[in-house]
Amino acid sequence: MTGLDYLWQALTPLNILLALAGVVAGTVIGSLPGLTATMAVAVLVPITFSMEPASALILMGAIYTGAIYGGAYSAILLNTPGTPSAIATTFDGYPMAKQGDGDLAITLACVSSVVGGLVGAAFLLGLAPPLAEVALAFGPVEYFWLAVFGLTLISALSEGNLLKGLIGACFGLLLACIGVAEISADIRFTFGSQVLLGGIETVSALIGLYCIPVMIDLVATPDRHLKVTQKAKGFRLKEALKISWLGKFNLIRSSVIGTLVGILPGAGGSIAGLVAYSEARRSSKRSDSFGTGEPEGIQATESANNATVGGGFIPTLVLGIPGTPPDAVILGALLIQGVRTGPSLFTENGAIVYTFIFGLILATVLMLPAGLIIGRYAYKSIITIPKALLVPTVAFMTMIGTYAIRNSISDVVIMIVLGVVGWFLNRFGFSPSPIVLGLILGRIAEQGFVQAWTIGAATEDLTGMFFGRPISLVIIAFTLISLFYPLIRKRWSTAGGTANAD
Amino acid sequence: MQIESKGGVKDLAGTIAAVAFILLASLALWDTTTMTDSDSYVFPRAIAAAMIVFCILLIAYNFINGAGDNAETDAASGAAGVTSTPRRVGLVAAMLLSSLAMPWTGFLLSGVFAFGAIMLFAMYDPWTPRRRIVFPSAALVVVLGFYTLFSKVLLVPLPIGFWFR
């Protein structure tokens, strides 16, 4: 069979319908705070058991890709990441919505997600086997340095006060330590409370820290939630395409970052989005406007998080190691179907794999019309619903969404308490983003650090363990560049100005 | 509720928060003394120590720089206009009470209570006869809709409530 045959096989009416239905269902589920892409895929997996493996994969891939994109809606319109992958979308998406450009931000997120999804799928199609080796090259110390690299984003998120950003990140890192320690199983910071034994659930913390402060302030004034422009501007697709074309290098770079991070087991869309955002900010001519409604920020995050879909499938299909949590669910569904993943999958079951990859590309393309229509509807709903209905609806969604993560009422209470803490801290000049960053990266950083420390101590080469591995050195170099680039650039521009004056 | 400083400290609110964070970090450090495995306490101890250092630096910075520009950091608030603290407290109280009552009242009843109470706190327009009918009806549709979606479609075991067993 040739590539064209696989393409035609993916384009059967049933597969097109499944791809469209999957994208729509995924987008809707992903847009609800608390319902993650993993949950979207897990909930709908039983439907696929009676299907052909390729069709089942297409449906699951479409749900996954739709859910990752859907997370952008609430990030942009409510300052609440629908999925953890959309954390960095809030940084510029919500300010854009506040300025009356929420419709443009949603269309931009849709276009960027499509580009990211296509780049990820292209890597999966062409370079899956060699790239899968990258996943194996990453050891604990590389994960540790990757988390440290992610933490350097604090300097970008601190809104002019680095010390407050660092304190916030430490607070997030300490929150991540609550509960049973992952390596030694010691109980930490629970102070005898049963409620805290399970730790702070990341998604409920996200909802609390981002959404509750917005609602607390929303209810306090009669002002409208978002600025509404007088004239309806439609999808603003032309504008979004123009911005996307101008930011094409940012889009491609972020998509490649997303794919590569997606390949790393356990890293996921949130880290991909944060790393891509950090890089976009570092290399942008308008880096100062990041965090205030900069379209490049949305492009970076949304292209990167959707690229993790294709990237995550690389180790899943080639090595049988899930790249992201939804991949683990999909892997389980594949095993139930009798499909054995591994290097031989591409040769022995080429029909299934390549039909699926073309199906994933199809679903990503279908995300453009579906996403634009759903996004337009979501935007119109948010700006037209009276405040007396919008606030309780969002509050109820946060409660039910948080409960659904672990079926825990304690998580709902923790979410509300963290929201109140976040509101006060915001008043005191502490942005919620560094706290969330610490919370997400804390577990990865600690696990990587302790494992690397243990291996280094056992081999009596701690320095070599942390600073002697090539990939670690590359990440350390990027971390240093990310930290000191603003300083270097300032010095360059000063030197350039002096030279010109001479 | 932005805390103004008229005296000698640049950012009084930030300084107060930094002191609170020092206490929190000290509490964390004290808790690490109960841990037996070094794998458990190395990381949190390092983070708590770093947090104390950053807080001390922030306090010192605020004292050295003295009163001056009180940076407006209240990004998410609508502080420019008239704000209502009772409504804020009401929203949080309604959410907390309904969550804590959930084991007894169940998710549905708690949800209806939370929705209704928050709707009252968020209402700024007059209650016209039309609104008196439409808004509560919409509330019921939303609560029942989400409840059905989660419990019947997504099969999330939402609490039924001790009173209804």
Side-chain angles (χ1 to χ4, degrees):
Chain A
M1 266 179 123
T2 64
L4 209 61
D5 293 327
Y6 297 130
L7 175 64
W8 289 123
Q9 212 164 318
L11 288 176
T12 61
L14 176 70
N15 285 344
I16 294 172
L17 200 70
L18 287 174
L20 186 63
V23 163
V24 171
T27 306
V28 172
I29 293 178
S31 67
L32 300 173
L35 292 188
T36 60
T38 314
M39 213 182 279
V41 176
V43 161
L44 299 171
V45 150
I47 302 169
T48 64
F49 289 158
S50 56
M51 293 177 186
E52 289 289 312
S55 299
L57 267 172
I58 288 172
L59 179 63
M60 288 186 284
I63 294 166
Y64 181 12
T65 201
I68 295 282
Y69 162 63
Y73 291 160
S74 44
I76 291 167
L77 300 173
L78 300 168
N79 197 35
T80 308
T83 58
S85 305
I87 293 167
T89 310
T90 58
F91 303 160
D92 287 290
Y94 189 59
M96 270 185 86
K98 294 277 275 184
Q99 292 156 17
D101 286 325
D103 45 0
L104 177 63
I106 282 180
T107 304
L108 203 56
C110 187
V111 173
S112 306
S113 296
V114 170
V115 173
L118 289 176
V119 170
F123 272 94
L124 176 63
L125 184 66
L127 291 167
L131 277 177
E133 300 297 322
V134 175
L136 296 177
F138 260 67
V141 73
E142 281 79 14
Y143 278 98
F144 168 70
W145 284 118
L146 189 69
V148 173
F149 180 44
L151 284 169
T152 60
L153 188 60
I154 290 163
S155 62
L157 302 176
S158 303
E159 293 169 15
N161 197 330
L162 184 60
L163 275 175
K164 284 185 177 175
L166 291 169
I167 294 167
C170 287
F171 180 51
L173 288 165
L174 284 180
L175 286 178
C177 292
I178 292 175
V180 181
E182 283 190 39
I183 293 175
S184 59
D186 245 326
I187 294 168
R188 303 187 296 192
F189 306 143
T190 60
F191 303 102
S193 163
Q194 297 274 332
V195 170
L196 292 173
L197 264 182
I200 305 280
E201 211 290 319
T202 310
V203 179
S204 50
L206 275 185
I207 296 172
L209 286 166
Y210 280 110
C211 190
I212 300 293
V214 172
M215 282 199 295
I216 291 175
D217 284 321
L218 206 56
V219 84
T221 64
D223 303 338
R224 289 190 77 92
H225 170 48
L226 297 176
K227 190 179 159 189
V228 184
T229 48
Q230 294 301 314
K231 222 172 79 180
K233 293 178 182 169
F235 291 120
R236 300 179 74 176
L237 183 59
K238 254 187 184 173
E239 225 174 312
L241 287 174
K242 194 181 166 193
I243 294 170
S244 300
W245 177 251
L246 290 172
K248 53 188 176 291
F249 292 115
N250 177 26
L251 269 178
I252 299 298
R253 181 187 53 231
S254 305
S255 303
V256 172
I257 289 173
T259 309
L260 293 177
V261 175
I263 292 169
L264 308 176
S270 52
I271 293 178
L274 289 166
V275 171
Y277 185 87
S278 178
E279 274 308 292
R281 185 181 182 274
R282 187 187 60 76
S283 56
S284 173
K285 286 175 187 162
R286 298 189 298 272
S287 57
D288 291 340
S289 62
F290 273 66
T292 59
E294 174 56 53
E296 280 185 46
I298 297 177
Q299 284 180 324
T301 315
E302 283 304 308
S303 55
N305 64 23
N306 267 87
T308 58
V309 176
F313 274 119
I314 293 173
T316 310
L317 297 178
V318 181
L319 304 171
I321 303 168
T324 59
D327 288 324
V329 182
I330 294 172
L331 185 66
L334 276 177
L335 292 174
I336 290 172
Q337 292 241 1
V339 178
R340 280 190 66 187
T341 53
S344 58
L345 181 69
F346 281 75
T347 47
E348 288 172 11
N349 282 310
I352 295 171
V353 177
Y354 288 110
T355 306
F356 157 64
I357 297 172
F358 281 116
L360 190 65
I361 293 171
L362 171 73
T364 309
V365 172
L366 286 172
M367 196 161 70
L368 187 64
L372 286 177
I373 293 166
I374 301 170
R376 179 85 191 128
Y377 179 74
Y379 178 66
K380 272 181 87 173
S381 307
I382 294 290
I383 60 169
T384 51
I385 289 177
K387 190 181 256 187
L389 286 176
L390 178 70
V391 178
T393 303
V394 176
F396 184 71
M397 275 165 57
T398 61
M399 285 168 67
I400 200 165
T402 305
Y403 177 85
I405 299 166
R406 293 197 298 198
N407 302 332
S408 163
I409 295 171
S410 306
D411 280 349
V412 183
V413 176
I414 290 171
M415 180 270 291
I416 299 165
V417 171
L418 273 179
V420 176
V421 171
W423 184 81
F424 275 108
L425 287 179
N426 210 353
R427 291 277 157 150
F428 294 167
F430 292 87
S431 162
S433 302
I435 303 172
V436 167
L437 209 61
L439 190 61
I440 289 177
L441 298 176
R443 290 180 187 122
I444 300 170
E446 184 183 6
Q447 202 171 348
F449 179 80
V450 174
Q451 282 181 353
W453 184 275
T454 309
I455 298 168
T459 55
E460 293 178 356
D461 185 20
L462 272 175
T463 318
M465 188 68 206
F466 279 94
F467 302 101
R469 291 162 65 100
I471 298 175
S472 296
L473 289 174
V474 171
I475 304 171
I476 292 168
F478 273 111
T479 308
L480 293 174
I481 291 169
S482 177
L483 267 180
F484 297 110
Y485 185 74
L487 209 72
I488 297 165
R489 199 170 62 167
K490 205 175 173 184
R491 185 151 291 189
W492 278 348
S493 60
T494 315
T498 316
N500 286 341
D502 291 343
Chain B
M1 214 196 76
Q2 184 77 16
I3 297 175
E4 298 288 335
S5 65
K6 305 277 186 198
V9 184
K10 186 185 181 187
D11 168 22
L12 185 61
T15 308
I16 292 170
V19 172
F21 276 127
I22 288 177
L23 292 175
L24 188 80
S26 306
L27 187 69
L29 277 178
W30 169 77
D31 193 64
T32 59
T33 57
T34 61
M35 297 167 195
T36 48
D37 197 327
S38 63
D39 286 353
S40 308
Y41 61 71
V42 167
F43 191 77
R45 223 175 248 186
I47 300 300
M51 194 173 179
I52 291 172
V53 171
F54 293 140
C55 288
I56 290 169
L57 284 175
L58 180 66
I59 293 167
Y61 176 81
N62 287 342
F63 269 101
I64 290 165
N65 283 278
D69 61 312
N70 263 297
E72 181 59 57
T73 46
D74 187 9
S77 81
V82 178
T83 58
S84 164
T85 303
R87 286 179 192 256
R88 286 181 167 135
V89 176
L91 172 104
V92 176
M95 289 181 80
L96 268 178
L97 276 177
S98 56
S99 305
L100 292 171
M102 235 175 249
W104 291 274
T105 57
F107 203 98
L108 192 59
L109 201 62
S110 288
V112 170
F113 164 75
F115 201 109
I118 296 167
M119 189 163 70
L120 291 175
F121 293 126
M123 189 67 176
Y124 281 90
D125 301 316
W127 279 103
T128 58
R130 188 171 167 269
R131 285 192 183 121
R132 280 178 202 275
I133 296 167
V134 173
F135 281 25
S137 312
L140 278 177
V141 169
V142 171
V143 174
L144 285 173
F146 273 106
Y147 186 85
T148 311
L149 172 73
F150 276 75
S151 64
K152 307 292 177 205
V153 182
L154 303 177
L155 302 175
V156 176
L158 294 172
I160 299 162
F162 184 71
W163 292 347
F164 300 99
R165 274 184 198 156

